[in-house]
Amino acid sequence: RLHAPLAIRSQRYPTRGLVRSAAARVRAVRMVEATFKAVPDRPNFPTEEENTLKYWKEIDAFQESLRQSKGKPPYVFYDGPPFATGLPHYGHILAGTIKDVVTRHAHQRGYHVERRFGWDCHGVPVEGIIDEKLKIRGRADVLKIGIDKYNEECRSIVQLYTKEWREIVERFGRWIDFDNDYKTMDLNYMESIWWAFKQLYDKGMVYRAFRVMAYSTALATPLSNFEVSQNYKEVPDPSIIVQFARKDKEKAFILAWTTTPWTLPSNLGLCVHPELKYLRVKNKASGDEWLVGKDRWQWVLSSIKKQEKDFDTLEELPGAKLVGIPYEPLFPYFKEKAHDKAWHIVSDGYVSTAAGTCIVHQAPAFGEDDYRICVKHGIIQKDGAGMVNPVDENGCFNDEVTDFKGQHVKTADQGIKDMLKSRGQLVFNGTEVHNYPHCWRSDTPLIYKAISAWFIKVEDIRDKLVQNNNATHWVPSFVKEKRFHNWLVEARDWCVSRSRYWGAPLPLWVSDDFEEVVCIGSVAELEKYAGRKITDLHRHLIDDITIPSKMGKGKLRRVEEVFDCWFESGSMPYCCKHYPFENKEEFENNFPAQFIAEGLDQTRGWFYTLMVLSTHIFDRPPFQNLIVNGLVLAGDGKKMSKRLKNYPDPKLMCDRYGADAVRMYMCNSPVVRAEPLKFKEDGVKEVVKDVFLPWYNAYRFLVLETTRFEKDGGKFGADASKVKKSANYMDKWINAETHNLIRFVRDEMDGYRLYTVVGALTKLLDNLTNWYVRLNRDRMRGNAGPEEASTALCTLYEVLLNLTVLLAPVTPFITELIYLNLARALPDGHALKAASVHFVMVPEHDPQVLDVEILTAVQRMQSVVELGRTTRERKKVGLKTPLKKLILYNKNEGFMKDIKNLESYVKEELNVMALEYKSGTTDIFLSANLNFPLLGKKLGGDMKKVIEAVKKLSQEELIKFEKEGSIVVEGHQLDKETLLLTRGVKDLDNPDLVANWDAESMVILDFTPDEDLSRMAVARDVANRVQRLRKEAELLPDDAVDMWAEVVPTKGNAKLEDAMKLKSQYVDELLRRRLWNGSLRQGHELIVKQEDFEVHGGVLRVFITVTGPFFNSKEISKLVGGDAAAELGVRQYLQSFALDRLADLCEKGPLKAKIADKTYELKYRTHFALGPGDAPWLK
């Protein structure tokens, strides 16, 4: 047994049934060199991917592809730069995969596609790591160690994980140039940033202003409005009502509401709406008088748990009459500092009745509207004079707020409330859950803070932004048309400065009073003032440079701020080329990009800054086409979290299933339509099981059957013309489907619709593996003759080859594996032959083979088969059980003609003995039922009336409804969701006749029990058991073995014996080879595998043996004259030869065996044969 597989492999010969002698067949095995390399039956995709990576490295595949495409039309792609201070996650892998698919396809369409990786090197992600390392808590700590040392610490960790990034990106099959990457911290890149900024400055688009900005206290810097929009969270905050004592009246107070108690020490005014109504009410118990908005009085009462009867209403008056009323501040910290106009009631139309008391407390240092209103009423000046701003850059109170100095403002909320309560100034103390902005980097709550900052005008170019956006193509389009468009329409001026250290410095040198400003736009320009060579533009290396004033203001010094890192990444298209200092013509000829892609979160990030800067500088959009992907979430729908470990590690997925499986899983999901993907390992696993393994098995089947064909004396060669000339219906169909797919993929990729492309590719794979291969297996095995086998194999080859080329961008590894073997059949110089599938151009589709009639016919056949399969499933009768007939109802003559042409496939697929066609539909009736869950509330009291009316609908009315999709019943419009149609057959009361239907056809399967069909079912089980035993023995289809079966005498084996006796030929047909009666075994055979199976109450014993000499006992006995010893000697003599040697000797004539003193002449196919299948006496 241990040596049996070797014996089998050394004695393979092709299928029996060919006219040639067995000797010729065996010799052919030795002489023919197979076109294809043998492939394992159980592939390890991760291991094969690792081998492919080594192969790509050996041939320098990516760079070689660029060398081959040099001189072709450029396809421009921009890759947004990630930070290398963290490891890549599924979001990066997804975006990288989309970019890789599109750019690989562009290469295959005849473009030269430069793909450079980039790194975002500046900003908070880097500084945050250093702050933690050096225990930096604020600006003072940075200045203490020195900006130079701080920045150099930052530089040292910028590329912390670049090695890991490269490993992961390359492991997932992405081709991109890491060796020629760009970095935002490089001198050339930063110089181009300065050039871009100077363009804006020279156009008057840069200004400095004192504004209230969203401010991150964790980062000690303001944020732009689009950064603020990226991270809102539902959080609880204080909800308090406080009373301000009026100065003009005793025991009189003004009620104001706030969710930010920490802003109350900085209060400078109270604002009412000039037209809203306000009440003066008096508390009957305390005698205190309150001013409060009429529209919010009931809310105040419910909050403080009082009733109207507890108060007297003294007066109702408009807000305009309250203006000017003075009041005492809650805290005394700024009584000597504030302007005389502070602490009075003012008015403005922004006050609403949506919340609070209709009286809004004003702290101009911490609210945009507060600032505007206080400037408007002269409480503070536009330059900030008169403002109180007691919060430092880290969000802590300074020494002016003596009671809470050093406390972070959010921490101080509780102490402030306690103090107000102790003074009787806290009327209500509650909590409110609301949507509040958080820092997108540190995840801490933002505050709003008045600061001076540098801005780029955006509001002035809103129309241009919208116009340029309209000129771009987004997938999906709704992100462009809604989310992005709405953002552009409301675009605000961009705060481009950051109070940080590690970043590209703003190139502005100013006088002390900011009246004189010089903007530097190049290194050369700066060197004129510096008097030295500039090799680095970071602030610690240039901040010492001064510029002489032309206005007599002494020396101009550089402002302290650095650029918002979004400006750096948004100017990437020209900065990575060092434009305009280098590559000027190249950039200008190839701008804008044909393609970019990132996640949905970049709508208000990179996409926005690209568009703003490109519109300002070039007056055109920065890209033509954009794919927006959704977010990749954990399987439970939550954000992926390393701490929670709620998602599988990407490397683990590669090791288990391979990168291709992850790529296809993501590309064939809603995430490429900007919808979220709940990442599940089972989804990746299913890709391997449902797509890769069937695909690989179809490829392996081609290799096996081609090898068998060549061993039979044929020579396989790729021949597309043979496929095109084929008269076989299924050949024409799968060829048409393939060229239809080629056309579709080209068109859809031109539209950047990945979500349609991958689905179509997998659909063809399904048609190939589950329909074409299964229905043409016998043809490819030669059962219809060598010419038909050759044509079918060529067809399968052409489909697999084209599919491999089309799928290469999506699954670069498995396609390379399959292609390198398939390419062996292509002649040198063939358009599809190359050293890698990724060097092959996508073929053009052949319109001549797009036979719509054949495509329609097979689709119709498939629909009938699917109806039959579903019917079997409902009846719980498997496909192994043959059925008498299928009755098909369809009134379309063309439909019936198509099914008749493909009847043999329907019968084979559904295992039915006959098809019966009925074109008349008089036997079929429609019935309608209301969808009560949907209609319950809609119909109300008319329900019974509508039910009765539906029962009375005629067949004509129902047919019309089925066609049109709507009908009015008792005044109610019903559609196909609310009125459900079912079909039935008149007088179909036989439980063995089961109907099923779709919009076009009805099928009835006849499940009536039949003795002969029952035998066939047993025969199918027998064939299934034998095939299983062959699989366990790890046999190949052409292994030289014989199979035997016998019924073991047991009780209850009558059914099995009956089937084996009467349906042995049917078993052979199912096995596509002979199953010999076990009683014919002669005892000398070498057993490969033996097993007993229980089949329908009986026991079947199955043997698989190595093919060897098979003896004609009657003729040998006659030859030796009944001498038993001589007969044994003859048998042993023949068994001493290997099968191929014995076959050679047979060709030379009779064998002469000398036994004792006698010589016997042994004639091939008279006295012996090469296995039972070669024995004419058994035929």
Side-chain angles (χ1 to χ4, degrees):
R1 171 66 186 93
L2 290 175
H3 301 290
L6 243 130
I8 298 164
R9 298 295 185 268
S10 66
Q11 297 181 168
R12 286 188 198 156
Y13 60 85
T15 318
R16 296 154 180 72
L18 297 179
V19 180
R20 297 181 295 127
S21 71
R25 281 181 269 144
V26 174
R27 192 171 63 255
V29 177
R30 297 197 306 272
M31 296 174 64
V32 174
E33 182 181 346
T35 297
F36 301 118
K37 289 182 179 178
V39 296
D41 59 341
R42 293 178 184 173
N44 184 312
F45 292 121
T47 301
E48 294 294 350
E49 289 184 355
E50 295 285 358
N51 293 336
T52 298
L53 286 170
K54 290 174 187 173
Y55 176 68
W56 286 346
K57 195 170 183 180
E58 286 170 14
I59 66 169
D60 195 18
F62 175 42
Q63 292 302 324
E64 176 58 25
S65 73
L66 294 174
R67 286 190 285 271
Q68 290 183 13
S69 64
K70 198 74 176 172
K72 292 182 178 181
Y75 180 90
V76 183
F77 156 68
Y78 296 152
D79 196 16
F83 287 97
T85 49
L87 292 171
H89 51 66
Y90 281 109
H92 296 114
I93 293 166
L94 167 64
T97 297
I98 292 171
K99 296 169 190 176
D100 194 49
V101 170
V102 173
T103 52
R104 280 180 182 273
H105 180 81
H107 171 86
Q108 288 186 294
R109 292 289 291 276
Y111 291 97
H112 178 73
V113 191
E114 182 184 86
R115 284 156 272 182
R116 290 176 66 200
F117 206 82
W119 300 103
D120 208 339
C121 303
H122 291 139
V124 172
V126 181
E127 291 188 353
I129 295 171
I130 298 305
D131 287 350
E132 189 174 338
K133 175 185 173 183
L134 302 180
K135 305 219 171 0
I136 301 290
R137 294 291 175 264
R139 176 182 172 82
D141 292 338
V142 175
L143 296 179
K144 185 177 180 182
I145 67 167
I147 294 175
D148 56 343
K149 290 181 180 176
Y150 182 84
N151 274 359
E152 291 306 324
E153 285 279 357
C154 289
R155 192 196 303 271
S156 71
I157 60 121
V158 159
Q159 294 189 281
L160 185 63
Y161 293 113
T162 52
K163 181 174 175 285
E164 288 80 359
W165 267 85
R166 183 165 188 163
E167 286 175 356
I168 292 173
V169 168
E170 290 181 348
R171 179 61 189 87
F172 273 90
R174 187 179 177 194
W175 280 6
I176 192 161
D177 195 341
F178 279 96
D179 297 322
N180 185 32
D181 57 6
Y182 69 86
K183 303 178 186 69
T184 60
M185 69 178 182
D186 288 346
L187 176 66
N188 287 351
Y189 194 100
M190 292 172 71
E191 182 177 27
S192 290
I193 291 174
W194 279 22
W195 169 85
F197 185 73
K198 186 169 173 59
Q199 303 309 298
L200 303 180
Y201 183 84
D202 289 347
K203 290 179 180 180
M205 293 295 165
V206 177
Y207 66 94
R208 180 176 180 268
F210 193 78
R211 282 193 181 175
V212 174
M213 302 282 299
Y215 187 90
S216 170
T217 60
L219 308 183
T221 191
L223 300 180
S224 57
N225 60 315
F226 58 85
E227 289 175 298
V228 174
S229 68
Q230 293 189 33
N231 192 16
Y232 271 81
K233 291 185 175 185
E234 290 284 334
V235 293
D237 262 330
S239 171
I240 66 171
I241 301 173
V242 293
Q243 57 179 14
F244 292 83
R246 289 174 59 169
K247 286 174 108 178
D248 60 336
K249 237 180 177 188
E250 291 290 326
K251 290 182 67 77
F253 302 91
I254 307 163
L255 298 191
W257 170 80
T258 184
T259 58
T260 54
W262 63 268
T263 61
L264 290 171
S266 307
N267 169 267
L268 293 179
L270 294 172
C271 188
V272 297
H273 193 291
E275 297 173 8
L276 290 179
K277 299 295 182 184
Y278 289 83
L279 301 177
R280 258 193 332 112
V281 297
K282 187 174 184 179
N283 188 315
K284 291 179 180 178
S286 66
D288 290 344
E289 181 184 306
W290 285 346
L291 263 179
V292 64
K294 180 181 179 181
D295 292 298
R296 299 296 297 169
W297 177 227
Q298 291 301 320
W299 173 78
V300 172
L301 287 171
S302 66
S303 297
I304 63 176
K305 295 183 170 48
K306 296 283 186 181
Q307 298 180 5
E308 276 195 85
K309 65 181 182 179
D310 298 324
F311 294 85
D312 290 324
T313 302
L314 305 177
E315 185 181 7
E316 179 180 313
L317 63 169
K321 288 200 172 182
L322 302 177
V323 174
I325 294 176
Y327 65 90
E328 288 285 346
L330 295 177
F331 296 91
Y333 309 128
F334 305 106
K335 276 193 171 183
E336 305 303 322
K337 184 178 178 180
H339 193 279
D340 291 344
K341 291 185 178 181
W343 302 307
H344 290 78
I345 290 180
V346 296
S347 70
D348 190 85
Y350 98 103
V351 177
S352 80
T353 60
T357 64
C358 296
I359 301 171
V360 184
H361 118 78
Q362 305 293 297
F366 307 113
E368 195 172 359
D369 283 312
D370 305 37
Y371 176 82
R372 176 182 60 80
I373 289 163
C374 287
V375 168
K376 172 183 168 184
H377 291 280
I379 297 172
I380 63 171
Q381 301 304 306
K382 199 168 186 179
D383 63 0
M387 185 184 296
V388 295
N389 187 352
V391 177
D392 66 18
E393 68 269 13
N394 298 314
C396 298
F397 282 118
N398 61 23
D399 292 348
E400 294 176 292
V401 182
T402 53
D403 298 297
F404 307 103
K405 67 179 180 182
Q407 290 187 30
H408 189 276
V409 292
K410 298 298 282 184
T411 306
D413 273 346
Q414 187 59 49
I416 290 170
K417 290 192 297 180
D418 291 343
M419 184 174 284
L420 293 172
K421 185 177 181 181
S422 67
R423 295 175 181 169
Q425 294 166 313
L426 185 64
V427 175
F428 168 68
N429 183 17
T431 301
E432 177 172 290
V433 176
H434 62 163
N435 217 14
Y436 193 81
H438 283 61
C439 176
W440 69 292
R441 284 298 186 192
S442 65
D443 214 29
T444 54
L446 300 177
I447 65 171
Y448 284 82
K449 190 174 189 297
I451 57 168
S452 60
W454 294 90
F455 293 83
I456 293 172
K457 292 180 182 178
V458 178
E459 294 164 27
D460 291 358
I461 61 164
R462 284 174 178 170
D463 291 343
K464 284 186 177 180
L465 289 171
V466 170
Q467 183 181 338
N468 282 340
N469 182 45
N470 290 339
T472 61
H473 172 66
W474 291 49
V475 177
S477 59
F478 73 83
V479 182
K480 164 193 164 179
E481 294 160 1
K482 294 181 179 178
R483 184 173 179 143
F484 196 62
H485 172 83
N486 294 342
W487 185 251
L488 295 180
V489 167
E490 298 295 329
R492 307 284 294 278
D493 286 357
W494 177 5
C495 174
V496 78
S497 59
R498 294 291 179 270
S499 303
R500 301 301 300 175
Y501 316 97
W502 177 243
L506 286 180
L508 297 172
W509 271 255
V510 300
S511 59
D512 292 343
D513 58 6
F514 287 91
E515 287 186 5
E516 186 177 357
V517 181
V518 173
C519 182
I520 302 296
S522 70
V523 170
E525 189 180 350
L526 183 62
E527 286 178 340
K528 289 178 185 177
Y529 296 110
R532 64 175 188 260
K533 185 75 175 172
I534 301 295
T535 57
D536 194 318
L537 288 177
H538 287 95
R539 48 176 301 191
H540 62 288
L541 296 165
I542 64 166
D543 278 0
D544 64 311
I545 299 170
T546 59
I547 297 175
S549 170
K550 292 181 180 179
M551 299 170 60
K553 294 179 178 287
K555 292 180 178 179
L556 309 186
R557 301 183 186 281
R558 199 193 69 80
V559 297
E560 289 190 346
E561 292 91 340
V562 298
F563 277 104
D564 172 9
C565 61
W566 286 110
F567 188 98
E568 299 184 27
S569 58
S571 52
M572 163 264 156
Y574 20 101
C575 294
C576 71
K577 292 287 186 182
H578 194 209
Y579 178 83
F581 309 102
E582 293 181 78
N583 308 303
K584 191 172 190 296
E585 186 178 349
E586 179 192 344
F587 172 77
E588 290 174 356
N589 289 340
N590 296 302
F591 181 81
Q594 275 132 303
F595 168 66
I596 67 169
E598 291 295 344
L600 187 62
D601 54 336
Q602 295 300 325
T603 309
R604 296 174 182 177
W606 192 51
F607 302 154
Y608 175 70
T609 57
L610 279 172
M611 184 67 77
V612 168
L613 293 175
S614 180
T615 300
H616 261 313
I617 299 170
F618 302 103
D619 198 22
R620 59 197 301 195
F623 55 84
Q624 296 171 2
N625 302 286
L626 165 61
I627 295 178
V628 188
N629 64 263
L631 300 178
V632 184
L633 306 173
D636 56 6
K638 295 177 181 176
K639 189 176 179 181
M640 287 187 171
S641 166
K642 288 182 181 177
R643 180 178 57 83
L644 296 175
K645 295 181 180 177
N646 60 351
Y647 65 94
D649 183 81
K651 286 184 178 179
L652 184 65
M653 292 298 93
C654 274
D655 293 342
R656 281 185 184 166
Y657 310 107
D660 275 348
V662 179
R663 287 172 65 111
M664 179 168 275
Y665 169 62
M666 293 193 296
C667 286
N668 200 28
S669 76
V671 81
V672 293
R673 300 194 301 269
E675 297 172 20
L677 166 66
K678 296 177 182 177
F679 192 97
K680 294 180 179 176
E681 184 175 347
D682 284 348
V684 181
K685 189 176 182 180
E686 284 168 12
V687 169
V688 176
K689 178 173 68 73
D690 299 336
V691 181
F692 289 0
L693 285 175
W695 178 11
Y696 181 87
N697 288 335
Y699 153 67
R700 181 171 175 270
F701 181 79
L702 170 72
V703 172
L704 289 172
E705 295 309 322
T706 301
T707 304
R708 186 209 299 264
F709 175 76
E710 291 180 324
K711 286 175 182 176
D712 274 348
K715 179 57 185 171
F716 179 79
D719 190 348
S721 64
K722 179 181 282 190
V723 178
K724 193 172 179 179
K725 292 173 188 173
S726 174
N728 181 277
Y729 221 95
M730 295 304 285
D731 290 350
K732 287 176 177 286
W733 165 68
I734 199 66
N735 195 32
E737 286 281 16
T738 302
H739 283 270
N740 193 38
L741 177 69
I742 293 171
R743 178 192 58 77
F744 180 82
V745 168
R746 292 174 73 99
D747 290 348
E748 292 301 287
M749 286 302 289
D750 285 346
Y752 295 86
R753 292 178 288 271
L754 263 65
Y755 55 89
T756 62
V757 168
V758 179
L761 287 163
T762 54
K763 173 65 176 172
L764 182 61
L765 268 174
D766 178 68
N767 278 331
L768 180 69
T769 57
N770 290 329
W771 293 93
Y772 181 78
V773 171
R774 197 168 69 239
L775 294 173
N776 289 274
R777 192 178 282 118
D778 287 347
R779 278 180 71 218
M780 286 183 256
R781 284 177 171 159
N783 288 15
E787 190 56 36
E788 278 297 300
S790 174
T791 303
L793 289 170
C794 277
T795 303
L796 177 56
Y797 175 86
E798 286 297 320
V799 177
L800 281 171
L801 181 64
N802 282 303
L803 252 177
T804 301
V805 173
L806 291 172
L807 271 163
V810 181
T811 52
F813 293 104
I814 189 173
T815 50
E816 190 76 289
L817 169 71
I818 293 173
Y819 172 80
L820 290 176
N821 206 10
L822 294 182
R824 291 165 60 90
L826 296 171
D828 291 340
H830 193 286
L832 298 182
K833 185 159 188 174
S836 167
V837 70
H838 305 291
F839 301 166
V840 179
M841 299 299 104
V842 173
E844 296 280 353
H845 81 281
D846 184 349
Q848 291 182 347
V849 304
L850 294 181
D851 192 324
V852 176
E853 290 183 2
I854 286 180
L855 290 173
T856 302
V858 176
Q859 285 170 4
R860 287 169 169 173
M861 181 268 287
Q862 289 173 321
S863 71
V864 171
V865 170
E866 292 298 343
L867 284 174
R869 286 175 179 169
T870 308
T871 309
R872 278 180 169 275
E873 287 169 11
R874 289 177 184 167
K875 189 72 174 173
K876 295 182 180 177
V877 175
L879 283 167
K880 292 176 188 175
T881 303
L883 302 178
K884 272 189 174 181
K885 66 181 176 181
L886 177 145
I887 304 169
L888 173 64
Y889 286 88
N890 194 295
K891 57 187 177 183
N892 185 320
E893 289 182 14
F895 192 104
M896 292 301 222
K897 181 183 174 184
D898 287 339
I899 301 304
K900 286 175 183 175
N901 286 336
L902 297 167
E903 181 176 303
S904 61
Y905 296 122
V906 176
K907 289 164 72 174
E908 182 181 346
E909 283 300 288
L910 291 177
N911 195 13
V912 294
M913 300 300 105
L915 256 69
E916 190 176 311
Y917 301 90
K918 294 198 175 184
S919 56
T921 55
T922 53
D923 293 343
I924 299 174
F925 64 89
L926 290 171
S927 57
N929 294 288
L930 292 167
N931 188 336
F932 292 111
L934 283 179
L935 281 171
K937 292 181 181 178
K938 182 179 177 182
L939 297 182
D942 290 345
M943 178 67 82
K944 287 185 179 179
K945 193 164 56 171
V946 173
I947 290 173
E948 291 303 316
V950 166
K951 288 179 182 177
K952 295 174 183 176
L953 289 173
S954 67
Q955 286 297 298
E956 290 74 19
E957 287 173 309
L958 292 177
I959 290 169
K960 185 181 178 186
F961 166 71
E962 184 178 39
K963 189 181 294 183
E964 296 178 356
S966 67
I967 190 172
V968 177
V969 179
E970 294 293 338
H972 294 277
Q973 184 89 24
L974 303 179
D975 57 25
K976 287 188 177 181
E977 286 191 359
T978 51
L979 187 64
L980 308 176
L981 291 182
T982 55
R983 279 184 169 79
V985 180
K986 294 174 184 174
D987 304 320
L988 189 70
D989 52 3
N990 184 342
D992 291 321
L993 299 178
V994 182
N996 195 8
W997 61 88
D998 59 20
E1000 283 193 279
S1001 309
M1002 172 176 275
V1003 300
I1004 297 174
L1005 277 179
D1006 187 349
F1007 290 91
T1008 304
D1010 180 274
E1011 196 171 334
D1012 194 56
L1013 294 180
S1014 178
R1015 292 189 195 102
M1016 292 175 72
V1018 175
R1020 273 188 173 263
D1021 272 350
V1022 168
N1024 181 262
R1025 299 300 198 280
V1026 175
Q1027 291 285 41
R1028 189 191 304 170
L1029 193 64
R1030 285 182 61 88
K1031 190 172 182 180
E1032 288 173 6
E1034 300 180 5
L1035 295 175
L1036 298 179
D1038 60 339
D1039 280 337
V1041 295
D1042 298 304
M1043 304 180 304
W1044 319 77
E1046 60 190 27
V1047 179
V1048 178
T1050 56
K1051 286 183 179 179
N1053 64 6
K1055 195 172 183 180
L1056 177 60
E1057 266 189 339
D1058 188 40
M1060 290 297 291
K1061 189 184 299 179
L1062 299 176
K1063 292 297 174 184
S1064 61
Q1065 187 176 343
Y1066 181 56
V1067 173
D1068 293 345
E1069 289 173 7
L1070 293 171
L1071 290 170
R1072 299 178 179 87
R1073 50 179 61 83
R1074 188 75 179 269
L1075 179 65
W1076 299 99
N1077 191 317
S1079 63
L1080 296 174
R1081 278 180 61 236
Q1082 297 177 337
H1084 64 277
E1085 296 89 353
L1086 175 61
I1087 295 174
V1088 176
K1089 192 88 173 169
Q1090 171 186 339
E1091 195 167 331
D1092 288 357
F1093 297 100
E1094 187 178 337
V1095 182
H1096 289 263
V1099 176
L1100 183 73
R1101 182 166 294 153
V1102 180
F1103 302 86
I1104 298 176
T1105 63
V1106 177
T1107 298
F1110 188 77
F1111 308 117
N1112 187 337
S1113 301
K1114 184 178 178 182
E1115 290 297 326
I1116 292 176
S1117 179
K1118 189 190 298 183
L1119 177 68
V1120 299
D1123 185 338
E1127 183 174 345
L1128 178 62
V1130 165
R1131 290 180 182 232
Q1132 289 175 341
Y1133 169 76
L1134 290 171
Q1135 285 176 248
S1136 68
F1137 294 101
L1139 188 64
D1140 54 351
R1141 172 66 177 152
L1142 185 59
D1144 279 340
L1145 293 172
C1146 289
E1147 281 198 328
K1148 296 174 183 176
L1151 280 70
K1152 295 183 179 179
K1154 189 172 183 181
I1155 311 296
D1157 55 350
K1158 288 187 178 180
T1159 299
Y1160 300 98
E1161 191 174 84
L1162 304 172
K1163 294 180 181 178
Y1164 168 55
R1165 304 195 85 195
T1166 298
H1167 299 109
F1168 71 95
L1170 302 180
D1174 192 41
W1177 58 90
L1178 292 182
K1179 301 291 170 77

